[in-house]
Amino acid sequence: MGRVRDGLSRPWAAVLLAGVTAVAGFGLYWFQPWKLWQDETVREALPGTATTAPAATTAPGEVPSGAESAAPPSGPVTLASGELISHEHATTGTVSLVRLADGSRVVRLEGLDTSNGPDLRVWLTDAPVKEGRAGWHVFDDGRHVDLGALKGNKGSQNYALPEDVDLSAWTSVSIWCDRFDVSFGAAELAPSA
């Protein structure tokens, strides 16, 4: 015990201990390894609906068959959608761009299943979705709209689109790890028929 006390009384030992503690603290903050074992499940309903039933796929201004008037749809309308593919981490689920009855728009993630991680964001991007490692880093090469922090790594959730976003300029959605500049998964958006 005396050797430890003698060693800690030396200035270099105290500096070394402080340095190791600082590096360990920074590493824990930066990598957040505990998130690998924590899942956050979110079950949000599509706004304006009582349940998470799929949105109608009627095109804007199109009258559903059997309808008697040319009134706009009274419920949500899916404008574009796609399936998530895996990039840095195994990722599954669907992404939809949905116009709500009040005219606002959301990006909806349904059945999302990916790894948890530090600083995960939902990005609407103009980048192409590429399979495998080729797609890991492409989403920050072009333009993107950051829709906010990923609410949970599992489940269904909604992200409001700003009113000034022109949907024709955006072709994909990425679950983006801003801390390490890598895509966990992404979906190419195809217009609904």
Side-chain angles (χ1 to χ4, degrees):
M1 189 71 168
R3 288 183 189 170
V4 171
R5 192 174 309 138
D6 290 341
L8 291 178
S9 66
R10 294 186 180 134
W12 63 267
V15 169
L16 179 63
L17 181 60
V20 168
T21 302
V23 168
F26 177 76
L28 287 172
Y29 166 76
W30 191 255
F31 290 99
Q32 299 178 0
W34 58 88
K35 287 194 170 187
L36 294 173
W37 297 280
Q38 293 178 335
D39 286 328
E40 296 177 41
T41 302
V42 175
R43 292 187 178 95
E44 286 184 334
L46 186 62
T49 63
T51 64
T52 58
T57 56
T58 306
E62 182 179 315
V63 178
S65 60
E68 298 199 13
S69 70
S74 61
V77 175
T78 300
L79 305 172
S81 61
E83 292 285 326
L84 286 163
I85 64 166
S86 299
H87 281 146
E88 171 72 18
H89 293 269
T91 302
T92 58
T94 60
V95 176
S96 301
L97 296 179
V98 180
R99 187 181 67 234
L100 303 173
D102 66 2
S104 63
R105 300 163 304 170
V106 297
V107 168
R108 177 149 176 88
L109 305 177
E110 288 188 332
L112 175 64
D113 188 359
T114 192
S115 298
N116 207 343
D119 204 11
L120 295 180
R121 315 291 297 172
V122 177
W123 280 10
L124 184 62
T125 79
D126 64 351
V129 175
K130 298 178 182 178
E131 297 277 344
R133 289 183 68 94
W136 288 18
H137 301 284
V138 300
F139 298 100
D140 60 348
D141 294 343
R143 297 180 309 136
H144 68 272
V145 176
D146 187 335
L147 301 178
L150 186 69
K151 297 173 184 177
N153 63 307
K154 296 185 180 298
S156 298
Q157 47 211 271
N158 308 298
Y159 298 86
L161 283 170
E163 289 182 22
D164 62 344
V165 170
D166 176 10
L167 294 181
S168 66
W170 309 104
T171 59
S172 59
V173 171
S174 173
I175 307 300
W176 183 257
C177 180
D178 213 23
R179 174 83 35 93
F180 296 104
D181 293 328
V182 67
S183 174
F184 274 33
E188 190 83 33
L189 296 172
S192 294

